[in-house]
Amino acid sequence: MIAAVAIWRGDILKAGLDPKVPFQTYTPPQAPDYRSANAWAMRDVRVPGSGNAAVFFLHSTTFDGGREWNGPIGDARADAYLERVVIPNYAGPFARAGSISVPRYRQASLYTRLTLRDDARDARAFAYGDALAAFESWLAAHPTGPLVLAGVEQGADLIDRLLQDRIARDPALSRRLVAVYLVDVIIAVDDLPPTTPPCASPVQINCVIGWSQVDETNDGAAWRRLRRALVWDANGRLIDLEGRAVLCVNPVSGSSDPAHVPARRHRGAANATGLEWGLRPAFIDRAVATQCRGGLLRHTELRTESFKEVGNWADRRKARQYNLFYADTEADIERRLAAWNAANLP
């Protein structure tokens, strides 16, 4: 029994997260009201000296699952993980760009990221309704000025669909975009609207920076990530990638150029978990070499104690609990916002 548990522990734990009810007969949690403060983890929060952009940030998966396909608003464990891990590490790099808004939404559970079942795909697609409603509420509060959209993992999936479904149909809105950041996600390049192409240079605006990162020595993980990737079709369904070209814009160079980028250009990794909002973390710079290869961002491993995976089995299958490109993202948005202001402000 001990040997069996050791061998199949992951399958046992994953099975425990399965709602065991078809999504078609499932009753989702109550919808959030984005007029209420409770529906937002952050709403138009600024740090001193921040820029003039409005930042819409969709967080990664924080709800494990169990009885629910989609997490209820106000789940204590999911919110704690969001505030302790995700916001400091992934929303933090955008703090100096302007006001940041982070909606809560009925996110698909972690279980839906671990299976390719149709029920799981439906649960992930269901979360888009909340993302769109939050975006419309946020956009109404920011009728003018530069906009930044950012998402991590599940949140990046939803931002990708927003680009296709909402922003591509509104040229005026597309022109207000400084840039879009899609972190730790597989995106099909041919799904990106012509008005928001992959960023080809570090000062280009109205473009998309996106990558899915894998250690350069872990070819098995790279193969599995591409094999299991799901992307949106024109009807809002998640379908298999099936060999299509994948978006990779290197966050260190700020370019889709596939050239190797040496570690000396790396601005800094950070582990900001538990850090108070508004405080910048300590950086480890010149530490990570990168290259877009085969659609993935392959990188050298950072071998320090602060950058090891910690937590329980479920936590280790969520977005990383640190940000290898924190300072790089911070500098990237600063450059692009300056370029947008130079092109648009009188």
Side-chain angles (χ1 to χ4, degrees):
M1 289 182 64
I2 293 173
V5 169
I7 294 171
W8 291 293
R9 179 173 179 269
D11 291 333
I12 294 169
L13 292 172
K14 185 171 76 171
L17 300 179
D18 184 350
K20 298 179 178 62
V21 60
F23 187 82
Q24 290 80 0
T25 61
Y26 166 67
T27 301
Q30 184 175 354
D33 179 0
Y34 289 108
R35 297 169 298 180
S36 169
N38 292 334
W40 300 84
M42 302 175 73
R43 189 162 194 178
D44 291 329
V45 175
R46 286 187 174 273
V47 299
S50 59
N52 63 324
V55 181
F56 182 78
F57 178 88
L58 284 181
H59 65 78
S60 58
T61 305
T62 63
F63 176 72
D64 294 350
R67 291 180 299 177
E68 304 281 355
W69 282 107
N70 293 81
I73 303 300
D75 182 84
R77 289 184 62 185
D79 283 354
Y81 194 87
L82 170 64
E83 293 164 10
R84 183 177 64 87
V85 177
V86 181
I87 287 178
N89 282 298
Y90 294 104
F94 300 97
R96 299 200 296 176
S99 65
I100 296 190
S101 298
V102 183
R104 294 185 168 94
Y105 62 98
R106 287 172 293 178
Q107 61 181 287
S109 70
L110 176 64
Y111 177 75
T112 68
R113 316 291 298 186
L114 305 176
T115 177
L116 297 177
R117 288 169 51 188
D118 286 343
D119 289 322
R121 300 184 195 211
D122 290 341
R124 290 170 62 176
F126 175 84
Y128 176 70
D130 285 359
L132 178 60
F135 177 76
E136 297 293 3
S137 175
W138 172 80
L139 190 61
H142 301 92
T144 61
L147 306 176
V148 176
L149 273 59
V152 181
E153 191 235 25
Q154 177 174 180
D157 274 333
L158 300 175
I159 293 287
D160 176 40
R161 188 170 168 192
L162 273 175
L163 281 177
Q164 301 175 41
D165 183 52
R166 177 65 176 83
I167 296 169
R169 303 179 185 184
D170 189 338
L173 183 56
S174 296
R175 288 192 294 271
R176 291 179 61 196
L177 285 179
V178 177
V180 178
Y181 293 81
L182 305 177
V183 179
D184 199 21
V185 70
I186 299 290
I187 301 294
V189 173
D190 56 13
D191 281 342
L192 294 178
T195 51
T196 50
C199 293
S201 81
V203 293
Q204 183 180 352
I205 59 175
N206 312 127
C207 61
V208 180
I209 302 97
W211 68 89
S212 179
Q213 64 201 56
V214 178
D215 187 305
E216 68 175 1
T217 63
N218 198 341
D219 292 335
W223 178 80
R224 287 190 297 273
R225 185 163 296 193
L226 292 171
R227 182 178 64 86
R228 295 176 59 84
L230 300 176
V231 295
W232 301 106
D233 69 6
N235 298 315
R237 294 279 299 170
L238 285 164
I239 60 174
D240 296 339
L241 180 66
E242 294 184 338
R244 294 158 70 186
V246 175
L247 173 70
C248 184
V249 175
N250 193 316
V252 178
S253 67
S255 167
S256 54
D257 189 329
H260 178 265
V261 179
R264 58 182 171 78
R265 294 182 58 185
H266 176 234
R267 288 178 176 266
N271 186 335
T273 295
L275 192 67
E276 182 181 347
W277 179 255
L279 297 178
R280 294 181 76 209
F283 297 125
I284 298 179
D285 62 352
R286 303 168 67 90
V288 179
T290 52
Q291 183 180 23
C292 283
R293 190 168 77 244
L296 299 173
L297 183 70
R298 306 302 294 268
H299 62 84
T300 53
E301 188 177 356
L302 188 53
R303 297 177 180 274
T304 65
E305 194 65 29
S306 298
F307 294 87
K308 290 184 177 180
E309 297 294 337
V310 296
N312 60 28
W313 178 90
D315 290 347
R316 293 196 299 274
R317 279 148 186 83
K318 298 170 185 171
R320 298 188 190 195
Q321 299 165 53
Y322 51 83
N323 190 337
L324 288 179
F325 309 107
Y326 189 114
D328 304 275
T329 304
E330 189 179 61
D332 189 278
I333 184 55
E334 186 176 357
R335 284 192 306 267
R336 296 185 200 275
L337 180 57
W340 190 97
N341 283 330
N344 289 275
L345 293 182

